[in-house]
Amino acid sequence: MNRDEIIHAFDRIRVWQRGDRRAVHKPLLVLYALARVLNGDAAMVDWNMAEPRLKELLEEFGPAGSSQTRHNPFWHLQTDGLWQLDGPPELLARPAAATPTLAELRKSHVLGGFPKALRAALAGDPGLAATIASRIADAHFPESIRSDVLAAAGLPPDIADESPCGEQRRRRDPTFREKVLCAYQYRCGVCGHDLRLGRQTVGLEAAHIQWFQAKGPDEIPNGIALCSLHHKVFDLGVFTVLPEAYQIVFSQHLNGNDETTRRFLSYQGAALILPQAREYFPQAEFLNWHRKEVFKNPGRGSAGP
């Protein structure tokens, strides 16, 4: 494959999908493997070495419980033609749907990595690996946490997409940010931050409730005006907003020093500062998506949010 064909192949990776559920297992594995290429690591990695890294990545950036199936991409990425495995013949002879268990992969010390020709192309063209990593991060994670995902996978957080090729992607509505900020009267829906420098807002952003990367629409009821800090932690699953009551609930996994925790938890149980018209209120379907796919359960004060 030439450079453009390789980029297209990674763009077309098949991810498990059911409705609007997030499926980031393969993307995170690919980012981890690309980092190994750029770092000059061995071509193949033992599952026993890869497992703890994939578990950590899924626990931090995947939906609740996704780390329990962390072995799936290691086995199934080979069906995309971008991955090869090495291990006991009787195990590798299984049909693609017969996924080995975690114990089987560990005991057999199954190795996984990019095919030889692909690895050579990636190692010989660091810009190609960087482009693929950038496109995968952009396709599956919001901009607010993109750098965190790349850094956690072992890649430079400022890695850039230098390639214009690839399948045409869904277009964003360039007016989404302004519409959301106007609806919320240019203040953060959590803390009320409304700092301006002259006429320019400072540190105020329009957050998608259901991520654009997960087919969330560029519509005001799928947006909340948030300061840059609350936007980032919202996308990381630190807090969510309950439908109907519009109550803010923080995750029990949130921790820090007393002052930092106190500052965040001062909004626990508070009502979201709502937009100026009811038709702009966050819709329940989007808030429920965020609770299921992003929020780090359980919520404070309950067994769930």
Side-chain angles (χ1 to χ4, degrees), residues 3-304:
R3 195 177 197 274
D4 286 354
E5 289 172 338
I6 290 173
I7 294 172
H8 276 294
F10 278 97
D11 282 345
R12 294 193 300 268
I13 287 175
R14 295 185 297 274
V15 295
W16 180 88
Q17 195 74 39
R18 180 178 297 169
D20 56 10
R21 295 292 305 277
R22 289 176 59 211
V24 295
H25 293 69
K26 283 185 181 178
L28 288 172
L29 172 59
V30 169
L31 292 177
Y32 166 70
L34 287 171
R36 288 180 52 82
V37 171
L38 292 177
N39 292 332
D41 296 330
M44 304 286 278
V45 60
D46 189 313
W47 168 247
N48 292 281
M49 178 181 291
E51 181 182 3
R53 291 297 310 281
L54 293 174
K55 183 174 184 290
E56 291 174 2
L57 288 169
L58 284 165
E59 286 177 345
E60 187 165 1
F61 303 110
S66 59
S67 66
Q68 297 175 14
T69 52
R70 56 190 176 274
H71 55 304
N72 284 357
F74 199 83
W75 176 258
H76 290 289
L77 187 59
Q78 60 183 322
T79 63
D80 294 282
L82 299 170
W83 194 251
Q84 66 179 32
L85 297 172
D86 188 13
E90 62 275 13
L91 184 68
L92 300 185
R94 289 184 181 182
T99 311
T101 64
L102 283 165
E104 288 176 318
L105 290 174
R106 293 169 185 156
K107 182 178 179 181
S108 301
H109 288 276
V110 174
L111 303 175
F114 297 128
K116 185 176 180 179
L118 176 56
R119 172 144 186 129
L122 293 169
D125 183 356
L128 172 60
T131 290
I132 293 167
S134 178
R135 294 171 72 88
I136 287 176
D138 289 343
H140 295 278
F141 300 96
E143 185 178 355
S144 61
I145 63 172
R146 177 183 184 277
S147 295
D148 300 84
V149 173
L150 290 168
L155 292 158
D158 59 350
I159 204 164
D161 180 359
E162 302 172 355
S163 172
C165 83
E167 295 178 357
Q168 185 174 9
R169 299 186 178 190
R170 184 171 155 232
R171 293 183 179 274
R172 293 176 179 268
D173 179 357
T175 67
F176 173 73
R177 177 181 182 275
E178 181 60 28
K179 288 177 180 177
V180 171
L181 297 191
C182 180
Y184 281 81
Q185 300 181 81
Y186 299 92
R187 59 184 177 178
C188 173
V190 174
C191 66
H193 172 91
D194 62 354
L195 189 66
R196 286 177 175 266
L197 183 62
R199 297 180 180 179
Q200 181 65 42
T201 59
V202 178
L204 191 63
E205 302 169 355
H208 283 81
I209 302 171
Q210 179 174 325
W211 294 356
F212 182 84
Q213 293 80 0
K215 301 180 181 180
D218 279 337
E219 299 173 357
I220 297 175
N222 187 38
I224 301 177
L226 294 173
C227 66
S228 56
L229 176 58
H230 282 121
H231 185 181
K232 184 167 187 172
V233 299
F234 183 64
D235 285 345
L236 283 170
V238 169
F239 74 93
T240 194
V241 178
L242 302 183
E244 299 181 6
Y246 302 110
Q247 184 181 33
I248 298 168
V249 176
F250 280 83
S251 168
Q252 291 184 17
H253 296 285
L254 177 66
N255 62 80
N257 63 47
D258 291 345
E259 175 59 26
T260 302
T261 305
R262 182 198 63 76
R263 187 165 62 249
F264 265 91
L265 293 184
S266 64
Y267 302 106
Q268 166 68 21
L272 184 73
I273 301 173
L274 291 167
Q276 55 186 306
R278 177 165 289 279
E279 61 263 32
Y280 300 150
F281 284 17
Q283 286 187 4
E285 63 177 294
F286 304 133
L287 293 173
N288 284 329
W289 180 90
H290 184 271
R291 177 180 57 82
K292 292 185 296 183
E293 299 297 320
V294 179
F295 183 65
K296 303 303 184 187
N297 275 305
R300 289 179 180 263
S302 63

